[in-house]
Amino acid sequence: MTVVGPFGLSVRDQALEADVQAGLAAVEEGLLEATKSEVPFITGAAQHLVRAGGKRFRPLLAMLAAQFGDPYAPGVVPSAVVVELTHLATLYHDDVMDEADVRRGVPSANSRWDNSVAVLTGDFLFARASHILADLGPEAVRIQAEAFERLVTGQILETAGPRDGRDPVDHYLDVIGGKTGSLIAVAGRFGAMMSGADDTVVDVLTQYGERLGVAFQLADDVLDIASDSHESGKTPGTDLREGIPTLPVLRLRERAARLGHAEDLALCALLDSDLSDDARHREALTRLRAHPALEQARRDTVRYAQDARAALGPLPECYAKAALVELCDAVVHRAG
């Protein structure tokens, strides 16, 4: 048993390990090549987050999905590069919207340079992803366009908030289905599709990616509250400070509305106050870390990971399927 990819994923077959490692190495080369520009400044900005590392979760999923067809098919690695470039581009834009200072353990692009550079660099990465995508055929272009529409829609819905009468938790799950689930679903879909896998397999891995993507984001929500910056690679409580209603906060508000406990209402009031004040922010983090709402968010993460595992049922038993099952466990482990 060897360990590859993010979260210490265990791969129990040497041939699968070799394929995955080679695929991820080729993706890394593709990312560096795609972020080169004749303008040195653009190269530096575009490669800022590439060189900072990252989990490469989406390319890993694409490599594993490709095992259900021909993993050496020419479209597999470029499609994984497209998905990761798109993800990286959204990080540049997210950090501007969130006014983040740190990303992947390094200064965010907007704090190292400024918001304009960060936004334009994200746009540059989208352009490079589109250039690669054009060589993969019109179906791939359509799939990516639909996913990108869902991603942007999710971001807009998050910004607009739930409409009157809509359950905030249901609204939030729709948001992250678009913002995160859509692109991770494409990683599974592209890996299977580009490898020539059967249409049924492509559909299974698309559904798996969507559900795993939601679990992945819910785990991030828990980490934003529960981890320190060393674990997460970004400043803890960033979403909290910006007033972004992630699942632990939504579960707290749901409980406060249902039970009316004084301590819950007091914590809600604290979260509604100005958390740009460091002392108030620390207090909010400390109290939320000890609150049952955080454990409820962990249980929600487990439920979505279990749904992702269940989606794999129709796939034949093999080492690649076992690795996909273990990815579900690894995502849950991130959330504690």
Side-chain angles (χ1 to χ4, degrees), residues 225 240 248-249 251-253 255-256 261-273 275 280-294:
I225 303 299
L240 205 63
V249 172
R251 288 302 190 195
L252 163 67
R253 296 189 189 281
R255 175 187 165 102
H261 290 164
E263 61 269 27
D264 294 346
L265 295 170
L267 181 51
C268 289
L270 175 62
L271 295 179
D272 290 334
S273 68
L275 294 184
R280 224 183 257 118
H281 182 252
R282 280 194 302 271
E283 182 186 355
L285 263 181
T286 300
R287 291 172 63 180
L288 198 50
R289 283 169 176 168
H291 195 277
L294 187 62

Side-chain angles (χ1 to χ4, degrees), residues 21-22 32 67 108 110 143 216 254 265 287 293 315:
Q21 294 280 27
L32 289 173
Q67 291 292 318
S108 60
N110 49 297
I143 289 167
F216 186 84
E254 180 183 64
L265 295 170
R287 291 172 63 180
L315 296 183

Side-chain angles (χ1 to χ4, degrees), residues 129-213:
S130 298
H131 183 78
I132 298 168
L133 194 63
D135 292 331
L136 297 178
E139 178 68 4
V141 173
R142 182 186 64 79
I143 289 167
Q144 176 75 354
E146 289 175 351
F148 192 55
E149 179 184 347
R150 286 189 61 206
L151 193 158
V152 173
T153 299
Q155 183 65 69
I156 292 171
L157 287 174
E158 179 180 75
T159 303
R163 65 179 183 272
D164 289 346
R166 181 83 198 279
D167 179 74
V169 171
D170 288 344
H171 170 82
Y172 181 66
L173 292 172
D174 282 348
V175 165
I176 62 175
K179 281 186 60 179
T180 306
S182 62
L183 198 57
I184 293 178
V186 167
R189 186 171 184 176
F190 274 172
M193 187 176 87
M194 296 298 168
S195 74
D198 182 86
D199 286 348
T200 301
V201 172
V202 174
D203 288 344
V204 165
L205 289 165
T206 302
Q207 293 174 36
Y208 166 83
E210 177 91 18
R211 297 172 190 180
L212 189 67

Side-chain angles (χ1 to χ4, degrees), residues 9-145:
L9 175 69
S10 298
V11 174
R12 304 168 189 275
D13 177 71
Q14 288 185 345
L16 176 58
E17 177 202 356
D19 284 349
V20 171
Q21 294 280 27
L24 290 175
V27 169
E28 210 64 28
E29 290 179 11
L31 289 171
L32 289 173
E33 185 62 32
T35 48
K36 286 180 182 175
S37 167
E38 294 179 357
V39 181
F41 179 81
I42 296 176
T43 301
Q47 293 187 350
H48 179 62
L49 289 184
V50 174
R51 294 188 180 279
K55 294 175 283 292
R56 302 295 187 253
F57 181 69
R58 293 155 187 82
L60 174 64
L61 177 53
M63 294 304 115
L64 290 173
Q67 291 292 318
F68 295 90
D70 175 11
Y72 313 112
V76 171
V77 168
S79 69
V81 172
V82 165
V83 174
E84 188 67 7
L85 279 175
T86 304
H87 170 59
L88 287 169
T90 66
L91 298 185
Y92 282 83
H93 289 179
D94 281 352
D95 285 345
V96 170
M97 294 181 69
D98 298 343
E99 300 179 357
D101 295 323
V102 178
R103 169 70 71 174
R104 295 183 171 177
V106 300
S108 60
N110 49 297
S111 64
R112 177 169 175 176
W113 293 288
D114 58 31
N115 284 348
S116 295
V117 169
V119 169
L120 292 170
T121 302
D123 292 345
F124 176 80
L125 295 182
F126 284 132
R128 287 300 174 89
S130 298
H131 183 78
I132 298 168
L133 194 63
D135 292 331
L136 297 178
E139 178 68 4
V141 173
R142 182 186 64 79
I143 289 167
Q144 176 75 354

